[in-house]
Each structure stands twice: as C-alpha cells, then as structure tokens.
C-alpha cells in the first residue's frame, strides 16, 4: 500500500543523511518530492535523477533554510511547479559543538538560525497552501538532545528544544484547520554528521543503547512516513523519540 500517493512533500536538507533517507521512503510511497540543500549541487542533481528513476516527480532546490525571504520564494516556486505542499519536513540542521566557555556568539547564532529559525521560516511559508488545501502535516526534526541536554551542545540542544515548543504551539494554532504538526527526536543516527565524531566515542554510544546499534536514516524515515501519512490522522503536537531506547 502506498501511503503518500498524490501528495507533494517538501523536505529541507535532503542532499544526504536523514533527509535523503526520508525523501527515498516518501518517493517509494508515491509522493512527489521537492527537497532543499545548502551547497551540495552535484549530490542534489544525482539524487533528483535517483528519485525520478523511482517514478516520481522530484526537484532539488539550493535554498538557505535560515533565510526568511528565501523560504517564501522557495515555497512559491514549489507551488508553481508542483501545485501545492501537503507535507513539510523541517530537517535541515547543523552542529557547531563546543563547551559553553569556548562558544562564540557566531556559533550560537548560526545553530539557532539554521536549526530553529528555519522551522519558523518554512512553516510560515507553507501555511498558505496548506490552509487552501484544508490539510497538511508538518514534521520538525528535533533531537533527544533537545529533551535531555548535552555537554558541549548548548546551542544545538537549545535549538532542538525550541523546535519542540514550536511544534506544540503550531499544533494548537492550526489543529482546527486540519494541519498537524509533530516532532521527531532521533537519538544517535549514523550519517555524515556523526562521521566527524571520535570512533571510540561512537563505539561507547552504541554499547549504551538498549537496541545496541546506531539508528539509520531509514529508521527515522519510517517514523516520518507515519507522521506524514493519514496513519497518524489523530496525532498532533507530539514528539516521537527514534533512539533505540537511548532516552526513555
Ligand atoms: P547531515 O548529514 O549533516 O545533512 C544535513 C543536511 O542539511 C544536508 O542536506 C545539508 O545540505 C542541509 N543543510 C545544512 N544547512 C542548511 C541550510 N542552511 N539550508 C538548507 N539546507 C541545509 O545531517 P543529518 O545527520 O542527516 O541530520 C538531519 C537532521 O536530523 C538535522 O536537523 C539534525 O540535527 C537531526 N538529527 C540528527 C541526528 C544524527 O544522529 N545524525 C540525531 C538527532 C537529530 P548540504 O549537503 O548542501 O550541506
């Protein structure tokens, strides 16, 4: 059964990692895919072709999610090209990890802009087509770190906690319009973002996870599919942890 047949999904930051996994799973369920990226032009073109080979309409847009007016332009372009936006996944994110004592103002601002302000920018931009369609699903990629905090990630944890408060508020404001908004809190998902980490630390993390492994982009994508589709028609304002039991 294809769960997203006839739907248009916008996924930010899908040139690689979790966003790419989400786009692949959505495409396999029949969704047309508009995705964004920051600088990976070649990867984006190759991924467009990969998605088209699955048999869905797909287009990658170079667009800075942290830029308010760029988000408006992006959604206008997507509505012109695809007709509407049924599902928005606010996935684009970065880390600039360091202890608070060493954290610069730029490191704080950059993470808050790319991770949190982006969710505001894109959500504002998709409200119009979703109101017109009288339905929509918005999914914000938070993190278990937004719930637990993490030494060395004060900027990142604050941005991810902010996304959860934002999610609950949007769910309350737009529920009466049949627009749902939920968050996903992934734990340790093995992507390029985590490749930068010390391998010894990675092994230690795997050992402490009840399911004894890091997650995959597909693990997160399957939960995103649930929240995007009508299977979750009565679910809004929630944060689902996809973390192998890392945070209970
Ligand atoms: P990733 O592999 O580093 O990929 C990040 C994606 O975001 C890339 O497509 C990148 O595009 C894009 N991007 C970065 N800055 C952007 C901007 N300003 N505007 C538009 N796109 C931008 O990251 P990931 O590990 O897949 O993580 C995806 C999301 O899940 C993030 O929000 C992250 O915080 C969250 N998360 C990840 C983990 C984990 O363990 N990996 C755990 C919890 C939460 P380019 O390729 O062009 O740079």
């Amino acid at each position: 059964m294809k769960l997203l047949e006839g739907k248009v999904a916008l996924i930010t930051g899908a040139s690689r990692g979790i966003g790419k996994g989400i786009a692949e799973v959505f495409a396999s369920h029949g969704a047309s895919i508009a995705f964004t990226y920051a600088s990976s032009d070649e990867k984006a073109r190759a991924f467009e072709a990969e998605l088209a080979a699955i048999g869905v309409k797909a287009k990658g847009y170079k667009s800075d999610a942290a830029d308010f007016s760029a988000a408006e332009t992006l959604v206008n372009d997507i509505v012109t090209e695809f007709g509407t936006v049924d599902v928005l996944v606010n996935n684009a994110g970065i880390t600039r990890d360091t202890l608070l004592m060493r954290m610069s103002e730029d490191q704080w601002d950059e993470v808050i802009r790319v991770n949190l302000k982006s969710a505001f920018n894109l959500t504002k931009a998709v409200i119009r087509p979703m109101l017109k369609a009288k339905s929509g699903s918005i999914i914000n990629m938070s993190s278990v770190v937004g719930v637990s905090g993490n030494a060395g990630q004060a900027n990142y944890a604050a941005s991810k906690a902010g996304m959860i408060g934002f999610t609950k508020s949007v769910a309350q404001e737009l529920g009466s319009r049949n627009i749902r908004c939920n968050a996903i809190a992934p734990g340790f998902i093995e992507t390029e973002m985590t490749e930068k980490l010390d391998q010894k630390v990675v092994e230690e993390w795997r050992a402490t996870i009840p399911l004894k492994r890091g997650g995959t982009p597909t693990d997160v994508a399957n939960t995103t599919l649930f929240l995007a589709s009508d299977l979750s028609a009565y679910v809004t304002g929630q944060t689902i942890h996809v973390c192998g039991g890392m945070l209970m």
Side-chain angles (χ1 to χ4, degrees):
M1 185 179 55
K2 290 198 169 182
L3 294 171
L4 297 178
E5 203 83 69
K7 302 282 187 195
V8 176
L10 163 56
I11 305 153
T12 65
S15 49
R16 54 196 164 90
I18 292 172
K20 187 166 188 254
I22 293 168
E24 284 164 352
V25 168
F26 278 17
S28 73
H29 279 270
S32 301
I33 308 289
F35 71 90
T36 72
Y37 60 98
S39 61
S40 305
D41 293 309
E42 263 178 46
K43 279 186 187 168
R45 296 291 82 80
F47 190 42
E48 269 178 356
E50 212 181 291
L51 291 170
I54 299 175
V56 298
K57 181 168 175 171
K59 191 165 177 184
Y61 297 81
K62 186 177 199 160
S63 180
D64 180 2
D67 181 328
F68 183 80
S69 59
E72 278 197 327
T73 305
L74 169 75
V75 171
N76 286 338
D77 290 350
I78 293 169
V79 169
T80 303
E81 181 75 32
F82 289 80
T84 191
V85 177
D86 300 294
V87 178
L88 165 67
V89 184
N90 283 312
N91 170 77
I94 57 166
T95 51
R96 295 290 179 266
D97 298 352
T98 189
L99 293 173
L100 188 59
M101 296 251 293
R102 294 199 200 107
M103 191 174 289
S104 68
E105 186 183 359
D106 279 352
Q107 286 170 323
W108 173 269
D109 287 346
E110 201 184 347
V111 169
I112 299 295
R113 284 181 71 249
V114 176
N115 295 5
L116 181 58
K117 186 173 182 240
S118 60
F120 165 76
N121 294 343
L122 272 301
T123 302
K124 282 279 285 185
V126 299
I127 284 178
R128 200 175 300 152
M130 287 186 177
L131 285 176
K132 203 169 155 205
K134 296 189 170 64
S135 74
S137 176
I138 299 164
I139 300 144
N140 294 321
M141 205 53 68
S142 178
S143 166
V144 289
V145 161
V147 180
S148 64
N150 196 23
Q153 290 197 307
N155 49 0
Y156 184 78
S159 73
K160 295 300 183 182
M163 284 182 110
I164 293 174
F166 180 69
T167 298
K168 291 179 182 178
S169 307
V170 172
Q172 289 180 29
E173 285 190 30
L174 298 178
S176 64
R177 308 302 188 96
N178 196 32
I179 299 171
R180 300 182 294 108
C181 184
N182 291 285
I184 295 177
F188 176 52
I189 310 300
E190 303 202 23
T191 67
E192 278 176 41
M193 185 180 263
T194 58
E195 271 171 20
K196 293 179 223 153
L197 299 168
D198 184 327
Q199 279 313 296
K200 222 179 123 219
V201 174
V202 169
E203 283 304 331
E204 281 165 16
W205 275 8
R206 286 188 189 124
T208 60
I209 296 167
L211 289 180
K212 298 294 168 212
R213 64 172 179 91
T216 64
T218 309
D219 289 324
V220 180
N222 287 334
T223 302
T224 316
L225 172 67
F226 165 72
L227 290 174
S229 76
D230 289 343
L231 286 181
S232 60
Y234 201 52
V235 180
T236 195
Q238 305 304 310
T239 302
I240 302 183
H241 293 198
V242 181
C243 65
M246 188 183 188
L247 189 72
M248 298 201 194

